Amino acid sequence: MLRGIYPGSFDPVTLGHVDIIKRASRIVDELIVGVLNNNAKMPLFSVEERVKMLKEVTKDIPNIKILPFEGLLIECAHQVDAKLVIRGLRAIPDFEYELQMSQTNHKLEPDIETIFLTTSLEYSYLSSSTVREVAAFGGDISQFVPKAVAIELMKKMESKGEY
Ligand code: ADP
């Protein structure tokens, strides 16, 4: 059985992430979506909120589990017995960072391989940070994130008094 892990901040999950999740879930027998709990990054949504939104938007995918994690990715991969790390690639800046990360992880744990799925063209511009920015100024984010996430984002911005 091949288990893969797709790690990220997902702050919040976008349609680009969902696209990678769907495609990755067809490659592996079981896909773990690892939600990074890193308070140093000052996330907009708590890890619990991010996990909840991911569960909601992936509820129709049978072979998927959403788990929070802290610390080293390869430690988490070990714990869940995932032999494959899956990452999405949008453009050249992603590539430079991702290459470095995957080579470091491979040095630390040679049994774990990283594979990259290139972004679908319609989502290549999309990132959680731009979605947060547009939402903070009251812009329409409905074409960037699943509906349930758009609702949570609007609630969050209201609670922060952003608009
Ligand atoms: P972001 O960079 O948007 O803050 P994350 O840190 O949560 O996102 O990224 C998790 C993974 O998803 C990374 O491998 C990242 O390259 C990938 N990813 C993010 N947005 C997209 C997208 N629009 N299309 C494909 N992959 C993406």
Side-chain angles (χ1 to χ4, degrees):
M1 159 149 156
L2 179 60
R3 190 176 286 122
I5 181 163
Y6 175 42
S9 306
F10 307 105
D11 186 32
V13 56
T14 69
L15 291 175
H17 294 129
V18 174
D19 177 57
I20 298 285
I21 289 172
K22 282 189 185 151
R23 288 158 58 200
S25 71
R26 288 187 224 121
I27 296 173
V28 293
D29 298 304
E30 184 173 73
L31 181 69
I32 311 286
V33 179
V35 185
L36 185 63
N37 185 8
N38 179 1
N39 285 330
K41 263 190 155 184
M42 301 269 285
L44 177 64
F45 289 98
S46 69
V47 72
E48 292 81 12
E49 290 171 323
R50 285 177 275 145
V51 166
K52 193 165 166 235
M53 284 187 281
L54 271 157
K55 282 190 176 160
E56 171 64 26
V57 303
T58 59
K59 61 177 187 242
D60 294 333
I61 306 173
N63 59 336
I64 194 165
K65 277 197 186 122
I66 317 290
L67 293 179
F69 79 99
E70 292 181 77
L72 279 182
L73 168 63
I74 50 152
E75 291 294 333
C76 174
H78 246 313
Q79 277 166 17
V80 298
D81 195 25
K83 292 279 183 278
L84 204 60
V85 172
I86 292 149
R87 297 283 290 173
L89 276 184
R90 282 163 295 192
I92 303 296
D94 272 355
F95 179 77
E96 288 177 11
Y97 172 74
E98 296 291 343
L99 183 68
Q100 203 178 16
M101 280 307 298
S102 73
Q103 288 172 334
T104 307
N105 285 337
H106 201 253
K107 276 274 175 209
L108 292 170
E109 183 50 78
D111 280 351
I112 296 177
E113 295 289 352
T114 302
I115 63 164
F116 298 100
L117 297 183
T118 50
T119 177
S120 296
L121 276 180
E122 64 263 46
Y123 304 126
S124 59
Y125 62 92
L126 198 51
S127 73
S128 297
S129 53
T130 51
V131 168
R132 291 196 302 271
E133 231 169 279
V134 174
F137 290 109
D140 177 12
I141 33 95
S142 60
Q143 52 184 321
F144 306 140
V145 294
K147 200 167 179 194
V149 176
I151 292 168
E152 291 305 318
L153 250 174
M154 283 186 305
K155 277 197 225 155
K156 179 67 83 180
M157 291 305 167
E158 269 167 23
S159 74
K160 285 168 64 85
E162 294 277 357
Y163 69 87

